Amino acid sequence: MKWRLRVTASFILAILPVGMVISQDKSPALQELPKNARTGLPGLQPNNQLLLPNGWSLTPQGTQVQLGDFPVHIETDPSGKFAVVLHCGYGDHEVRVISLETSQQVSSARIDQSFYGMAFVDDGKQLAISGGEDEKVYVFPFADGFLGKPSVLTVGTKEDKFVVSGVAAAGKEILVCGLLANEMKIIDGASGEMRKRVEFADDAYPYTAIVDGKNEFAYVSLWGKSQVAKVNVATGEIVAAMPTLSHPTEMVLLDEGKHLYVACSNQNGVVLIDTFTGEQKEVLSTALYAKASNGSTPMSLCVSPDTNVLMVANADNNNLAIFDIRERGKSSSLGFIPVGWYPTSVRMADEGNSILVANGKGLTSRTNVHGANPNLQPPKTVREYIGGLMQGALSIIDTPNPAEMAKMTRLAFENTPLNEKETPNATEVSKDNPIPTAVGLSSPIKHCVYIIKENRTYDQVFGDMPKGNGDPSLCIFPERVTPNHHALADQYVLLDNFYVESEVSADGHEWTMAAYATDFVEKTWPLTYRGGRGKLKYPAEGKFKIAEPSSGYFWDKCKEKNVSYFSFGEFVDNGPTINDPSTTNVEALQGHYDPKFRSYDLDYPDVLRAKRFLEKWNEFESAGNLPQFIVMRLPNDHTYGTRAGKPTPTAMVADNDVALGMIVEGLSNSKSWSKTAVFVVEDDAQNGADHVDAHRTVALVVSPYSRLGSVDSTLYSTSSMLRTMGLILGLDPMTQFDAAATPMYRSFSSKPDLTPYVSMPANVDLKEVNLASAWGSKLSEQMDLSKEDAADDLLFGDIVWRSVKGADHPMPPPVRAGYVFREVED
């Protein structure tokens, strides 16, 4: 074995422990790095960094190999010649076999549906793969990189809610984790006959299993319980439940079964467990800074063949964290290796000389309009929709020597806008700016109103504004349709470089309220959005406890600091009729929401939501208990498409516009206006085209303290908006992402202007309905629009586009942004 990452005393001193690289290193490159003040457009930068829409950057190391939609799991075959990659995204579910000698694809196979699980069985002669909601395990013959016709082992009926996740081999048996059944079945590897059933507690969500060398014990990571279960394979008995951090996922078993390393994706850590005693021996922080907030998402791990080095894939940090683990329980950080976007799996190959990384979201963000350069068009297999835009990539990295490791670690720190103390960058911010430069400082703004809308890109609404970076040809809801949006952007601040971190509403509402989406949300939404089996449900907005980030939501931070808060429709479920009260599953919102406010319901006009909100606002003011933080849902810009008899997309967006105008006019005439700021954002931007990036969206900041008439082209994201409100209200950041986000200082002025806003009337018919002859009418009728994003949004977006542009004008397809697949030079 040629393991080039040699662990020496001098090497450890050169790299330094986690959280100390920046503070100890005096190199000019690090000292001059502008933290937390990134501007410009996403894409390839002059310094060869790839700037993402969230303000973080990529410098992926090694050779990059194009993969398919959302690769989630890598395994190497026993010969070490091939990497097998499982894809479980919005697009095709498939397994691809890559030759590690040529970096070329050798073979592939489609799967109707899968969910993470994959393992070699029968000494590598066969490959077992999860069948997800189809309650199957596919067992492929495997030889010389080629996959044969699989045998199909059925572990449940179509009606069962087992949902196959991780699989593992135990001799001639296969252990199969049932995500929703809270069970593990031990089945015969040839016939599929069940030998034993292991039952876990409710909401355990068994993720995957690993078996010791004697096939005596299996260890099962309980995703929803912060535990690993130790199971006697022969009897199926649970002999121990060993505590971990939040969201245990992958595991590595060492030292003849004595030590177990567990990646815990919802808490920045890897736990080392003594399997004989069940005790934790050590917790390794995988974040760039040891005390960083939640958000690294360590979901995969592996060890070097000599078991001296541990490698952890930090999905949301876009890097690998490397540790010296020679002395169990006394590990030390060796640094970081930058990889692609959202690494989901890490393995080693070539006897430890190569590192393999599956980058779930690939190497770049992308626009979603057709470009002039035909060479930049995506593969034909890519769905022309944000859910399928981000094709994955396999990084093949030579294991670095100490000098290379030091260089890579520095790059990893340069890629993040986060700083060690998680303080906002306040460079060149005037002392009298109303946005505080640190938590705890006062602000003249005392009340934040946060309005969340649905699914529009910047160009769709503001593409016609000459003073912003827009493309008029992509603007389908121009000033004629959205006069209030345009007037507010023109009179207050136009934000033409604002992005969402999310792809769809499922992760969108999580990012909007938490500055984060857990691995549970990220891994389940593609299955539900692509047309699942109805077993895995919409994973967000308080529907599942396992979806909640360990760092909590914005209202949790309010509660911690005794900041009053209230929700109008966000994370709230409607009653069966408009006369029935709404409810919420979120404990922190009990008593802090309006049961009379209608949440997502396209049959309920936004103007009625606006009226109810203003009524309640006036009640709060009269009672002297106006909440400091208010979040409100204003969803009808989602539209019904062209469903016959329903309002046209233009009418629904116009209704949304009138409602927004009503709200701002009402607030600007209230006695609390002098102390109020209104923040408006879309939960995601999935439903339209944008010439800059598919994540660029509509956002507004409206306040007496707004920098009136300005254009603020600073790169902001939803996390920037959350960070700004947090500073106003004196709240600590929730995650690394709002901690690192650039506060919206440039959107505010020190001198207030209390002139009330005068709302603009609708210029289009708000009662216009779709005719049965409208393009896409029958398709719209077949779509489930009872909840957000239940329909095929690629097709739905095309319907909305044609409703405005005409039946003969299809929505523009996407192009790739400017990353070229190449080997990174030394």
Side-chain angles (χ1 to χ4, degrees), residues 587-619:
E587 183 179 351
L589 289 181
Q590 302 297 336
H592 295 267
Y593 76 100
D594 183 6
K596 294 183 179 181
F597 187 91
R598 195 77 174 160
S599 188
Y600 183 89
D601 179 353
L602 295 180
D603 288 321
Y604 192 84
D606 276 341
V607 293
L608 295 184
R609 292 185 177 91
K611 289 180 180 178
R612 173 59 189 172
F613 167 75
L614 291 173
E615 288 174 4
K616 195 68 178 175
W617 177 276
N618 291 333
E619 288 179 16

Side-chain angles (χ1 to χ4, degrees), residues 139 153 172-174 186-195:
V139 181
L153 307 181
K172 294 184 178 181
E173 295 179 325
I174 299 176
I186 303 176
I187 65 173
D188 181 88
S191 67
E193 178 184 354
M194 186 177 69
R195 299 289 175 80

Side-chain angles (χ1 to χ4, degrees), residues 432-436 442-447 674-676 705 728 750:
D432 52 359
N433 191 294
I435 309 304
S442 64
S443 169
I445 301 170
K446 306 300 181 185
H447 305 280
S674 63
K675 301 178 290 184
T676 299
Y705 289 92
I728 291 171
S750 59

